[in-house]
Amino acid sequence: RDRDVTGVQTCALPIFRRLRLSADAQAAGDRLDLMSLTREQIQSGWVQKMAQEAGHSMKVLTEEELAQSRRETMACAPSKDVWVFGYGSLIWNPGFPHTERVPARMVGLHRSLCVYSFVHRGTPEKPGLVLGLDRGGACRGIAYRVMAKQRTETLAYLRAREQATSVYLERVRTAWLAGKPEKPVQAVCYVVDRSHRQYAGRLSIHEQAHIVRQGHGGSGNNREYVLETVNALETLGMRDRELHLLAERLKGASDHTA
């Protein structure tokens, strides 16, 4: 265990190292171009296969390392069921079974388009941009409750989906479920590692739009990712000012001067 960006004790778990898609893998069609990754494709080991194709540039976790990671997360959760906090694509495409879906917020972290995507929404040559939880502020999203009997499978799925590279740290943090009064629960979430080379930091709207327009990876079009997230937030009655401004820019025909 260690402490997160706000000093609260959390679980930092072992995760995949850096990934570079090999030219041979791309030529063989292994990048799943023009497709969106499904739960079945993720569970089939697509990310691990890409890691093996990348050779020495990426360390693939062994089955024992993955099992130890799952045990550490379970040790952090105070109840048999587990909560998962979604702030990006997990809002509109969770991909795992759950018994509750509740609007929630986290304090001390905010949603930010601050992660270069080399796998899901881009490639190392033409990266996309995806969301991460970054330090400061607060974030509104969705908390999912997963039954105890499905938590091992769900955590394995989330790692295959969210931790293709080491840019995210898996944490257990307090999420406040919407209600009168709000109810605190401990939830698994994915926080950006600011020391990672995929951390993009704070980019201008112009820079974001340019990168997002070029991005396409195993999970599909980067522009679609941003617009789907904004649509999901609007459906929930939530608004993210910077993300909404970017969505408006992306609906235009071309980049504009920031």
Side-chain angles (χ1 to χ4, degrees), residues 62-91:
T62 66
E63 287 300 318
E64 175 54 33
E65 287 173 322
L66 287 170
Q68 178 61 27
S69 183
R70 289 192 292 269
R71 288 193 292 269
E72 291 177 9
T73 292
M74 292 178 186
C76 288
S79 63
K80 293 183 179 179
D81 292 352
V82 64
W83 288 88
V84 177
F85 182 74
Y87 54 88
S89 62
L90 286 178
I91 294 177

Side-chain angles (χ1 to χ4, degrees), residues 11-254:
C11 292
L13 307 176
I15 51 181
F16 293 127
R17 303 303 179 190
R18 296 176 180 177
L19 169 66
R20 279 196 175 277
L21 301 179
S22 69
D24 291 341
Q26 294 181 38
D30 287 331
R31 273 188 49 232
L32 303 176
D33 282 332
L34 306 181
M35 297 177 65
S36 292
L37 282 179
T38 64
R39 177 182 175 88
E40 291 73 23
Q41 289 163 341
I42 291 172
Q43 291 179 317
S44 73
W46 177 80
V47 174
Q48 288 86 340
K49 183 176 181 180
M50 290 299 94
Q52 292 167 355
E53 292 286 347
H56 69 278
S57 62
M58 177 173 173
K59 177 185 181 297
V60 183
L61 296 185
T62 66
E63 287 300 318
E64 175 54 33
E65 287 173 322
L66 287 170
Q68 178 61 27
S69 183
R70 289 192 292 269
R71 288 193 292 269
E72 291 177 9
T73 292
M74 292 178 186
C76 288
S79 63
K80 293 183 179 179
D81 292 352
V82 64
W83 288 88
V84 177
F85 182 74
Y87 54 88
S89 62
L90 286 178
I91 294 177
W92 47 271
N93 182 29
F96 56 86
H98 48 276
T99 58
E100 291 186 60
R101 181 180 187 270
V102 186
R105 67 185 179 95
M106 281 191 172
V107 178
L109 296 165
H110 69 281
R111 178 177 26 247
S112 177
L113 201 66
C114 62
V115 177
Y116 290 119
S117 177
F118 293 165
V119 179
H120 287 295
R121 301 290 172 173
T123 67
E125 294 73 28
K126 287 189 175 182
L129 278 176
V130 292
L131 294 163
L133 282 177
D134 205 355
R135 67 177 65 166
C139 179
R140 298 174 67 194
I142 291 291
Y144 297 96
R145 186 170 190 167
V146 178
M147 295 178 63
K149 65 180 182 180
Q150 295 171 320
R151 57 189 280 173
T152 298
E153 178 184 358
T154 298
L155 289 172
Y157 163 77
L158 286 170
R159 291 194 181 98
R161 169 176 168 161
E162 302 294 332
Q163 295 181 315
T165 70
S166 57
V167 69
Y168 292 110
L169 302 174
E170 187 175 86
R171 304 288 194 184
V172 177
R173 288 289 308 275
T174 299
W176 293 87
L177 305 184
K180 295 182 179 179
E182 290 183 315
K183 176 185 175 182
V185 297
Q186 297 301 297
V188 175
C189 62
Y190 295 91
V191 179
V192 66
D193 179 357
R194 284 188 159 207
S195 68
H196 196 280
R197 68 188 179 96
Q198 283 179 250
Y199 178 62
R202 187 174 180 82
L203 302 174
S204 70
I205 293 294
H206 176 79
E207 291 170 321
Q208 290 177 355
H210 176 74
I211 295 170
V212 168
R213 283 198 175 101
Q214 75 173 6
H216 189 99
S219 289
N221 184 296
N222 198 180
R223 178 179 179 273
E224 176 186 76
Y225 166 87
V226 173
L227 297 181
E228 286 284 358
T229 302
V230 168
N231 289 337
L233 290 173
E234 290 178 344
T235 299
L236 293 168
M238 301 177 184
R239 181 174 177 83
D240 185 305
R241 181 179 179 276
E242 292 192 1
L243 207 58
H244 275 73
L245 287 175
L246 175 60
E248 292 174 5
R249 178 68 63 89
L250 292 173
K251 292 174 183 177
S254 62

